[in-house]
Amino acid sequence: MSELREQYTQITQGCRTLSKETRRLFFALDLSDTHNAKSRSAIVALKQTLAEHGRPVPDDNLHITLAFLGEVDSPAYRSLCEAADKVSLPAISTQTTETGEFPKQGILWLGIEENATLRALACQLHEAAAKILDRSAEHNFVPHITLARRARPTENRRSLRIPLTFYHFGIYASVPAENGHGIHYQCLNRWTLTR
């Protein structure tokens, strides 16, 4: 068992008598690895130019969601980690495309060029989560990086084509920020994609 999984288990086992103890989790690709630093800087710069359209996502929260899991208790978390242990896919090389919106959710995002490996990873994780969490297996995967929330509609699309490579994917928790404003994403466990 990885060190991060042991930490989560220790935290949640202390609350095992509280059957309602859950955390809001998701599988994702993180942009913070050093080999993506130049591309990440360009994404941050683009995000800053769009700040007038909504509430910018903190730089440290930039990621590509693979599967949103919602509220998860510790037994389900352990099952999700066991499912992720079985993933055997190569590293993902892709690129960003252009900005877009989810108007109903008020989300302004930067698109990610889809490829077979990225789709396979998202589908495997979503299908495992649907089975473990007893949810619908339907999944409309739109790979993107959220740039702003509470965004107002804009017809001015911006193009940004930069490379991104991912050698890992992880499971993350949404954690309230210490200052009480917003949230940050805490990596609970990480898995390697074959190099």
Side-chain angles (χ1 to χ4, degrees), residues 100-166:
E101 300 172 12
F102 296 136
K104 288 183 181 176
Q105 295 86 0
I107 302 291
L108 178 62
W109 47 262
L110 177 61
I112 301 296
E113 186 174 270
E114 191 176 325
N115 63 40
T117 307
L118 177 58
R119 176 161 286 285
L121 178 58
C123 287
Q124 285 181 30
L125 295 172
H126 183 79
E127 287 170 8
K131 186 175 182 180
I132 292 163
L133 302 173
D134 194 27
R135 297 187 184 152
S136 169
E138 284 187 35
H139 186 225
N140 182 21
F141 181 56
V142 179
H144 67 278
I145 300 165
T146 299
L147 301 176
R149 299 187 183 281
R150 297 184 188 156
R152 295 180 307 281
T154 176
E155 298 196 9
N156 185 12
R157 288 193 173 223
R158 305 276 181 91
S159 179
L160 179 65
R161 297 195 178 273
I162 51 171
L164 290 169
T165 302
F166 300 97

Side-chain angles (χ1 to χ4, degrees), residues 23-28 63-72 80 122 125-130 133 135-136 138-141 144 149 170-174 183 185:
R23 296 184 81 175
R24 189 175 174 91
L25 304 181
F26 59 95
F27 282 111
H63 68 277
I64 301 168
T65 300
L66 297 166
F68 178 73
L69 305 170
E71 296 294 328
V72 176
L80 289 162
L125 295 172
H126 183 79
E127 287 170 8
L133 302 173
R135 297 187 184 152
S136 169
E138 284 187 35
H139 186 225
N140 182 21
F141 181 56
H144 67 278
R149 299 187 183 281
I171 191 166
Y172 294 80
S174 297
I183 58 169
Y185 302 135

Side-chain angles (χ1 to χ4, degrees), residues 22-86:
T22 63
R23 296 184 81 175
R24 189 175 174 91
L25 304 181
F26 59 95
F27 282 111
L29 298 170
D30 182 17
L31 299 180
S32 64
D33 286 338
T34 54
H35 59 272
N36 284 324
K38 186 175 178 182
S39 295
R40 185 176 181 275
S41 294
I43 294 167
V44 168
L46 173 65
K47 178 177 66 88
Q48 290 169 344
T49 67
L50 298 168
E52 67 188 52
H53 296 288
R55 187 171 50 104
V57 169
D59 296 352
D60 291 339
N61 284 358
L62 295 172
H63 68 277
I64 301 168
T65 300
L66 297 166
F68 178 73
L69 305 170
E71 296 294 328
V72 176
D73 62 19
S74 57
Y77 168 77
R78 286 191 291 276
S79 295
L80 289 162
C81 287
E82 288 167 7
D85 288 341
K86 296 174 185 171

